[in-house]
Amino acid sequence: MKKLCLAVSILAASTSAAWAQSSVVISGILDGAVRYTTNSGPATNKSASLSQMVGGGMSQSRLSVAVTEDMGDGLKAIANIEHRLLLDSGTSAAGDFWRQAWVGLQSNSFGRITLGRQYNLLFDAATSTFASFKYSPYIEVFKPEIGMALTARQNNMVKYLVESGGLRFEAQVSAGENSGDIGQGKSIGALVRYAAGSFAGAYVWLQSEDQGGKKVTAQTMGASWTDGPLYVNMAWAQNKFETGYSLAGNVTLLGSINTAIISRNPASAATVATDAAAQVRDLFSAGITYQLTPQFNLGAQVWKGKQVGLVPGRGTGVLDAFAVVADYALSKRTDAYVEFDNLRTKGNVVISNGANTRTGYMVGVRHRF
């Protein structure tokens, strides 16, 4: 009887393996840096500088688990969970432990459909098509372009992707089933991307609602060109807010860690409603990366942001920023980098502590596994 049970088990296992091969890949990034930033004190002492270790300099530290099951005939089941952490403290980088959590199906015939918490199409286009740096899509601690991506991820999302040759189409839709989750409301959007040879370009339209049904409409368009060691990118992004859109989602010009720009530093809560509300925000960016040697890369990126307030003269202003990075590959998986960034504001927009300029210096090490 024992021999019979063993034989049946072996047969079942071998039969299953014939039509379904599964793989689980654990990967991640560990990035730590020392950073010095000027004009980072409280509003009462805004000129004070800040020295710190950051748990993600060029890239946010993360741990990812990706699952693929080959079910035959060109059909696969796919799934992914991703946790983002702060290397300096070992704590979660945000309140959501899993920054991504999705499952889906992929077919050679119909494309790919995924369900769950995922990157939105604005983030997809920026990181895959016109990334700010060839060796890193953006600088984690200084990322104006991601501040225009409507939180970059959204809950309750169904995303569809199909490709043919160099042409890619993506669509997303998400349900705003949690009325209190302002930044993760209903959404609908589409992406078109084309890549051929050295050129890649993309356009995205995405609309999201707050808990009151007020809409923000985002667009982004950009392209990149690669020629041997040279990489060039440029892009435009826009957020357009419907009158009455929740102030909690409309308080910053650019929502990056070190570019938290507000319409002004309000003297009292009573001024927030008129001074923080924007009607339209635009961001233009361009950059270049050059690979001097197989190990050594130099990159530079510039951003220019403009905000028009709902109330004339309130919340209106511009932002100018740039960053320079030198990156050296110590091995296939480990690199060291030096980074310098600067931002300046004009008009009725300021950094969150009331300053109009800020400069950052950073040295770090990053390992991918």
Side-chain angles (χ1 to χ4, degrees), residues 86-363:
L86 299 174
L87 186 74
D88 54 334
S89 62
T91 57
S92 294
D96 47 348
F97 186 86
W98 296 114
R99 305 240 66 191
Q100 283 202 94
W102 53 261
V103 65
L105 294 174
Q106 180 173 307
S107 167
N108 293 339
S109 302
F110 67 74
R112 185 177 77 177
I113 186 167
T114 50
L115 302 89
R117 176 169 171 78
Q118 307 171 65
Y119 290 117
N120 67 23
L121 303 185
L122 300 168
F123 184 89
D124 285 350
T127 55
S128 70
T129 308
F130 40 89
S132 295
F133 301 91
K134 183 67 174 178
Y135 47 84
S136 186
Y138 53 87
I139 303 170
E140 171 59 25
V141 299
F142 194 85
K143 48 184 180 183
E145 64 273 49
I146 305 304
M148 299 291 287
L150 301 187
T151 75
R153 306 169 188 83
Q154 287 190 278
N155 298 336
N156 314 310
M157 184 195 296
V158 178
K159 183 192 287 187
Y160 175 69
L161 180 153
V162 63
E163 289 185 291
S164 179
L167 187 64
R168 175 191 297 177
F169 172 78
E170 289 187 55
Q172 76 166 72
V173 60
S174 56
E177 58 190 55
N178 181 359
S179 61
D181 198 357
I182 297 170
Q184 307 291 335
K186 295 179 180 178
S187 74
I188 185 170
L191 175 154
V192 178
R193 179 182 189 269
Y194 180 74
S198 299
F199 173 82
Y203 170 78
V204 179
W205 178 91
L206 179 63
Q207 189 173 84
S208 181
E209 295 183 15
D210 67 8
Q211 80 279 22
K214 299 296 183 180
K215 298 178 177 64
V216 54
T217 301
Q219 299 181 77
T220 188
M221 177 171 58
S224 64
W225 181 70
T226 304
D227 184 13
L230 179 65
Y231 169 78
V232 179
N233 73 87
M234 61 177 57
W236 162 75
Q238 182 185 80
N239 294 167
K240 188 173 184 179
F241 299 88
E242 185 177 1
T243 302
Y245 187 84
S246 172
L247 288 176
N250 188 16
V251 71
T252 61
L253 171 61
L254 300 170
S256 174
I257 295 174
N258 281 295
T259 55
I261 311 301
I262 62 174
S263 297
R264 68 186 287 270
N265 193 29
S268 67
T271 65
V272 174
T274 56
D275 292 347
Q279 185 178 44
V280 180
R281 296 187 181 119
D282 289 278
L283 181 70
F284 300 89
S285 62
I288 183 171
T289 298
Y290 193 83
Q291 187 174 7
L292 293 171
T293 72
Q295 294 80 28
F296 187 47
N297 286 275
L298 285 177
Q301 188 78 6
V302 296
W303 300 267
K304 188 174 186 65
K306 180 181 179 181
Q307 175 174 292
V308 178
L310 286 169
V311 180
R314 300 268 185 122
T316 301
V318 298
L319 172 140
D320 293 291
F322 72 90
V324 178
V325 182
D327 183 272
Y328 188 84
L330 300 170
S331 68
K332 183 178 180 180
R333 297 180 180 273
T334 304
D335 61 318
Y337 55 84
V338 178
E339 185 264 2
F340 170 81
D341 56 74
N342 176 265
L343 68 91
R344 296 178 182 274
T345 65
K346 299 177 183 178
N348 201 22
V349 291
V350 296
I351 300 170
S352 55
N353 66 350
N356 288 106
T357 183
R358 178 174 286 174
T359 301
Y361 309 84
M362 183 168 63
V363 179

